[in-house]
């Protein structure tokens, strides 16, 4: 049976990958699989593929020996059943693979058994250690020689008075344990300061906290009596003029492949591959127990492996099409995440409208969008990633952040680094910064980026009344030009144009990246986190496409030293004018937590928009009919 080269790995293929490695003698009892991914064929191969062509399927695995710390990568041909590649990775120089679920339980056990930590906990009034939960967290890198090459986690603690109580309301602050997970021992306990443990409950499902549930909300039903407007063939989706493929990666999560738009009788490519390549949550508390709190949720925790199994009526509403996702567990066997990806249509108000004073005519058309989404839970926080495709060719990504803010004790004297949420309970200031990787393909692979901004024009002979304004257009020629920041005051945008194709007016066809322009990384440029998360120091980077450049912060993010990812990619200063290019866009939230964010945070939003600019010769939605449910030509929003 033939399949598309980008078809996600199946459960059978994940098992076959493990069997091939086992037969090759590469697995020991102590071998674990932090990551197993589809080895995607190169872009040229995928673009040349035609239905029925044979496809070689390959799987890439990261193998960790949990007794020795030995780290290797393998490449298995699932087609031939052979190991076709193997490499040893030096964690001292490169970093570690993502944290594994097994390590959370391991760290909690190791920390609980440590005498120094036990004394510190008892000094804080906790004699029953079963009522203390240990929270293992990625360690980062701060140039400490004794930590070099060690696979580490750092652990904070929270009080949990009963097994079903949410412990986030009760941080045992000022105390942290550093754990070597290979040697299974505590390296150091930092006991900086004793704080009173906040006592107020944070159980947001407890009626004692919430009060009685309101009974004033009436049901909302969303129905499509004739079914949805999309068609699905395996992982290929067609909706209106859009065509694309749904992919799923254990590290990135949801991936959209080969987005194209049918324009008349032409199928016009827009984006080859779109994903969240990385995200970083950097905290601003410099205290000895918390200065290291910076988390890369993709490279350190594997977003895809943490995807929720979605529930109709809760996460998704309407006529839903779900997609399962298969990920490898740490023993190399498959796990199927049911309903990991949700797809549905939404009405989105007015698409276009005009009531004409001369003719007396009135016409209104309604906008509709296709929604493809998934949700992940990373410790205390939950993130939803929603890709929207619109009838007019617009593409949008909206990220929804919710869950529970990471808590701390709030000192009696106050602090510059956190807000108080409840009596004695604080939440440090922090950022959620997302790194989108957009492998562009606007009408082909010969693309460039023009930076476009509004420009004020002073009074002059050309502008005697001072009313004129214009725009500036600057072509980004090389990768050294491609690190850019948004400027909302000037409406700065980046137009991805095809250097070989024009519309009927002679203008280059293009798509505009419209950023929100929220703050980039606020840590000092010389800090460890700024070196490791260099991608997040600018809103935009543009690079020439390369098959091995997938992740904004590099391949080995966990305990990386910095310099990988975007800094390494741009060092060659390649041309980005008329080339096959990739956009790396940073967007996010800067969070100064409010009392309203406790005990659970209402959704906060961020994202970006890709909008056609000169891509079409005219409005591509003139053929959208009146509202089919009413037949009306004049239905108001």
């Amino acid at each position: 049976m033939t399949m598309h080269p980008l078809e996600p790995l199946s459960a059978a293929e994940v098992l076959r990958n493990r069997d091939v490695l086992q037969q090759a003698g590469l697995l020991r009892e102590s071998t674990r699989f932090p990551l197993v991914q589809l080895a995607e064929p190169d872009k040229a191969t995928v673009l040349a593929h035609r239905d029925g062509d044979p496809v070689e399927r390959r799987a890439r695995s990261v193998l960790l020996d949990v007794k020795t710390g030995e780290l290797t990568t393998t490449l298995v041909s699932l087609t031939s059943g052979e190991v076709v590649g193997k490499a040893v990775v030096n964690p001292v120089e490169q970093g570690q693979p993502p944290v594994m679920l097994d390590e959370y339980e391991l760290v909690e056990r190791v920390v609980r058994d440590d005498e120094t930590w036990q004394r510190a906990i008892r000094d804080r009034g906790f004699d029953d250690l079963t009522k203390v939960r240990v929270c293992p967290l990625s360690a980062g890198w701060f140039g400490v020689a004794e930590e070099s090459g060690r696979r580490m986690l750092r652990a904070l603690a929270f009080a949990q008075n009963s097994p079903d109580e949410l412990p986030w309301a009760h941080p045992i602050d000022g105390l942290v344990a550093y754990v070597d997970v290979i040697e299974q021992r505590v390296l150091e306990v930092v006991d900086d300061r004793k704080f009173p443990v906040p006592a107020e409950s944070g159980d947001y499902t407890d009626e004692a906290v919430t009060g009685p549930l309101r009974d004033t909300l009436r049901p909302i039903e969303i129905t499509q009596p004739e079914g949805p407007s999309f068609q699905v063939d395996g992982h290929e989706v067609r909706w209106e003029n859009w065509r694309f493929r749904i992919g799923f990666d254990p590290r990135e999560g949801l991936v959209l492949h080969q987005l194209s738009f049918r324009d008349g009788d032409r199928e016009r490519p827009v984006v080859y591959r779109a994903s969240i390549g990385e995200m970083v949550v950097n905290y601003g508390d410099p205290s000895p127990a918390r200065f290291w709190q910076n988390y890369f949720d993709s490279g350190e925790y594997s977003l895809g492996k943490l995807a929720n199994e979605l529930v109709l009526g809760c996460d998704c509403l309407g006529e839903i099409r779900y997609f399962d996702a298969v990920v490898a567990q740490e023993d190399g066997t498959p796990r199927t995440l049911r309903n990991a990806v949700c797809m549905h249509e939404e009405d989105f108000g007015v698409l276009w409208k005009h009531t004409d004073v001369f003719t007396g005519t009135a016409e209104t058309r309604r906008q509709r969008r296709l929604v493809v989404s998934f949700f992940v839970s990373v410790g205390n926080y939950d993130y939803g990633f929603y890709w929207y495709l619109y009838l007019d060719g617009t593409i949008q990504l909206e990220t929804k952040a919710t869950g529970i803010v990471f808590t701390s004790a709030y000192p009696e004297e106050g602090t510059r680094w956190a807000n108080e949420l409840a009596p004695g309970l604080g939440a440090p200031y922090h950022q959620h910064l997302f790194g989108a990787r957009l492998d562009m393909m606007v009408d082909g692979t010969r693309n460039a980026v023009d930076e476009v901004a509004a420009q004020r024009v002073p009074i002059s002979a050309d502008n005697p009344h001072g009313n004129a304004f214009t725009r500036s257009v600057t072509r980004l020629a090389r990768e050294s030009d491609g690190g850019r920041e948004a400027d909302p005051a000037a409406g700065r945008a980046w137009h991805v144009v095809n250097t070989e194709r024009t519309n009927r007016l002679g203008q280059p066809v293009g798509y505009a990246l419209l950023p929100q322009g929220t703050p980039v990384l606020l840590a000092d440029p010389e800090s460890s986190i700024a070196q490791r998360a260099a991608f997040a120091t600018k809103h935009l980077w543009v690079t020439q496409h390369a098959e091995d450049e997938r992740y904004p912060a590099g391949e080995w993010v966990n305990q990386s030293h910095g310099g990988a990812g975007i800094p390494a990619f741009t060092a060659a200063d390649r041309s980005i004018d008329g080339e096959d290019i990739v956009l790396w866009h940073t967007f996010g939230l800067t969070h100064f937590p409010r009392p309203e964010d406790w005990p659970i945070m209402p959704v906060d939003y961020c994202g970006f928009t890709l909008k056609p600019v000169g891509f079409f010769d005219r409005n591509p939605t003139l053929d959208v009919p009146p509202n089919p449910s009413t037949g009306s030509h004049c239905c108001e929003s």
Side-chain angles (χ1 to χ4, degrees):
M1 184 183 78
T2 61
M3 63 175 66
H4 192 274
L6 298 176
E7 189 76 9
L9 288 175
S10 67
E13 287 178 316
V14 171
L15 273 176
R16 180 164 170 76
N17 175 66
R18 191 188 192 287
D19 289 343
V20 171
L21 293 171
Q22 183 75 61
Q23 292 165 11
L26 296 179
L27 303 185
R28 307 168 188 158
E29 185 180 342
S30 54
T31 300
R32 299 292 182 272
F33 291 73
L35 207 57
V36 177
Q37 299 166 287
L38 172 69
E40 295 179 17
D42 63 75
K43 191 173 183 178
T45 298
V46 173
L47 295 178
H49 176 79
R50 298 294 178 265
D51 289 346
D53 288 351
V55 175
E56 183 182 16
R57 301 280 288 171
R58 292 186 171 193
R60 180 182 182 275
S61 301
V62 176
L63 305 180
L64 175 67
D65 189 315
V66 295
K67 286 189 176 179
T68 66
E70 180 184 345
L71 183 60
T72 59
T73 62
T74 61
L75 188 63
V76 166
S77 170
L78 302 170
T79 305
S80 67
E82 298 175 312
V83 178
V84 295
K86 178 177 178 292
V88 175
V89 177
N90 184 346
V92 175
E93 297 177 357
Q94 294 174 272
Q96 294 279 349
V99 179
M100 299 184 293
L101 295 178
D102 290 350
E103 291 173 322
Y104 298 129
E105 183 178 345
L106 167 66
V107 168
E108 184 162 41
R109 174 175 55 79
V110 168
V111 171
R112 283 177 184 273
D113 289 343
D114 183 78
E115 293 182 0
T116 303
W117 183 84
Q118 290 176 4
R119 284 196 299 271
I121 285 292
R122 291 193 173 101
D123 283 348
R124 288 162 167 80
F126 291 91
D127 292 322
D128 184 356
L129 297 185
T130 65
K131 293 187 176 182
V132 176
R133 294 309 305 265
V134 175
C135 181
L137 299 158
S138 54
W141 170 253
F142 301 93
V144 178
E146 290 77 9
E147 296 180 356
S148 180
R150 293 182 181 274
R151 183 168 175 81
M152 289 181 57
L153 291 171
R154 306 187 201 273
L156 298 173
F158 294 82
Q160 187 180 37
N161 298 309
S162 65
D164 57 351
E165 181 188 42
L166 293 168
W168 306 104
H170 314 300
I172 304 173
D173 210 347
L175 177 69
V176 58
Y178 299 173
V179 180
D180 185 317
V181 295
I182 300 298
E183 296 182 4
Q184 299 188 18
R185 67 183 182 93
V186 173
L187 300 173
E188 181 180 359
V189 173
V190 176
D191 189 351
D192 174 55
R193 179 179 173 181
K194 296 180 179 65
F195 293 91
V197 176
E200 187 175 284
S201 173
D203 283 355
Y204 49 82
T205 59
D206 184 347
E207 189 171 335
V209 175
T210 66
L213 298 182
R214 68 182 72 179
D215 59 5
T216 53
L217 290 171
R218 299 295 182 252
I220 292 179
E221 293 185 3
I222 298 173
T223 62
Q224 292 182 278
E226 299 179 19
S229 306
F230 51 76
Q231 297 84 43
V232 179
D233 181 7
H235 285 81
E236 183 183 74
V237 178
R238 293 176 184 264
W239 177 75
E240 292 304 297
N241 291 320
W242 286 105
R243 179 181 180 183
F244 63 97
R245 298 191 64 82
I246 289 178
F248 196 89
D249 180 83
R251 178 167 171 166
E252 298 164 291
L254 174 62
V255 180
L256 299 186
H257 297 283
Q258 294 184 283
L259 288 123
S260 65
F261 196 96
R262 189 179 68 252
D263 183 14
D265 59 358
R266 289 191 297 159
E267 192 93 21
R268 303 178 66 187
V270 179
V271 182
Y272 175 74
R273 190 182 192 276
S275 69
I276 296 297
E278 190 55 81
M279 63 169 289
V280 61
V281 186
N282 56 300
Y283 285 79
D285 185 340
S287 67
R290 290 178 175 268
F291 72 90
W292 49 270
Q293 281 193 278
N294 300 289
Y295 311 125
F296 293 78
D297 287 354
S298 177
E300 291 180 341
Y301 293 105
S302 301
L303 284 176
K305 293 172 73 172
L306 300 175
N308 293 176
E309 295 185 323
L310 303 174
V311 178
L312 183 63
C314 298
D315 303 292
C316 306
L317 197 61
E319 187 75 26
I320 304 300
R321 172 65 158 85
Y322 289 110
F323 296 83
D324 295 343
V326 174
V327 296
Q329 301 180 105
E330 284 146 25
D331 62 358
T333 61
R335 177 191 174 200
T336 298
L337 302 172
R338 303 293 180 190
N339 299 348
V341 175
C342 169
M343 184 172 72
H344 66 285
E345 292 177 276
E346 290 180 347
D347 179 273
F348 199 65
V350 171
L351 169 62
W352 54 260
K353 175 182 174 64
H354 180 60
T355 300
D356 194 81
V357 65
F358 294 113
T359 66
T361 58
E363 293 285 343
T364 301
R365 300 293 186 271
R366 293 198 69 78
Q367 176 67 284
R368 188 179 296 197
R369 66 186 182 185
L370 184 69
V371 185
V372 187
S373 66
F374 86 118
F375 238 100
V376 302
S377 297
V378 191
N380 55 302
Y381 266 110
D382 301 77
Y383 302 98
F385 299 89
Y386 287 69
W387 289 95
Y388 301 130
L389 303 182
Y390 292 85
L391 296 174
D392 63 352
T394 297
I395 304 169
Q396 190 175 43
L397 175 65
E398 182 176 68
T399 298
K400 304 181 181 185
T402 180
I404 303 176
V405 295
F406 203 101
T407 54
S408 63
Y410 192 81
E412 186 177 355
E413 71 275 13
T415 176
R416 297 170 58 193
W417 320 118
N419 279 342
E420 190 172 24
L421 304 184
L425 182 71
Y429 303 152
H430 59 282
Q431 294 181 281
H432 305 256
L433 299 174
F434 304 87
R437 181 183 184 273
L438 303 170
D439 188 342
M440 300 302 295
M441 195 176 168
V442 178
D443 244 0
T445 56
R446 295 297 183 185
N447 289 177
V449 177
D450 289 333
E451 183 171 277
V452 180
Q455 185 174 5
R456 183 177 285 112
V457 177
I459 292 176
S460 65
D462 291 336
N463 181 28
H465 303 289
N467 64 299
F469 60 92
T470 187
R471 67 175 189 167
S472 64
V473 180
T474 305
R475 173 64 54 86
L476 306 181
R478 307 196 68 80
E479 290 174 331
S480 55
D481 303 322
R484 307 296 299 164
E485 291 191 36
D487 183 357
R492 182 176 291 168
W494 296 288
H495 292 193
V496 183
V497 298
N498 188 297
T499 56
E500 298 179 341
R501 297 182 183 273
T502 58
N503 60 24
R504 65 173 178 159
L505 303 176
Q507 303 162 343
V509 299
Y511 258 75
L513 172 60
L514 307 178
Q516 288 186 335
T518 50
V520 293
L521 189 74
L522 293 174
D524 188 278
E526 299 302 315
S527 66
S528 168
I529 187 59
Q531 303 303 308
R532 299 178 65 224
F535 77 91
T537 62
K538 302 285 186 183
H539 290 107
L540 179 75
W541 303 89
V542 185
T543 63
Q544 193 178 120
H545 174 270
E547 293 294 339
D548 60 347
E549 296 179 1
R550 177 70 64 82
Y551 307 111
E555 171 74 19
W556 306 98
V557 177
N558 191 11
Q559 297 177 241
S560 63
H561 299 180
I566 290 296
F569 302 164
T570 58
D573 199 20
R574 296 163 293 192
S575 169
I576 52 173
D577 186 355
E579 305 287 351
D580 188 359
I581 60 172
V582 176
L583 270 56
W584 311 80
H585 176 44
T586 300
F587 62 96
L589 302 165
T590 297
H591 201 191
F592 302 101
R594 315 162 299 157
E596 292 88 346
D597 293 321
W598 182 256
I600 186 166
M601 188 179 100
V603 163
D604 219 341
Y605 301 88
C606 61
F608 63 87
T609 301
L610 285 167
K611 199 172 187 69
V613 54
F615 188 78
F616 302 108
D617 288 337
R618 61 178 186 171
N619 183 341
T621 65
L622 296 178
D623 59 345
V624 172
N627 190 338
S629 64
T630 65
S632 171
H633 281 253
C634 192
C635 51
E636 302 296 338
S637 174

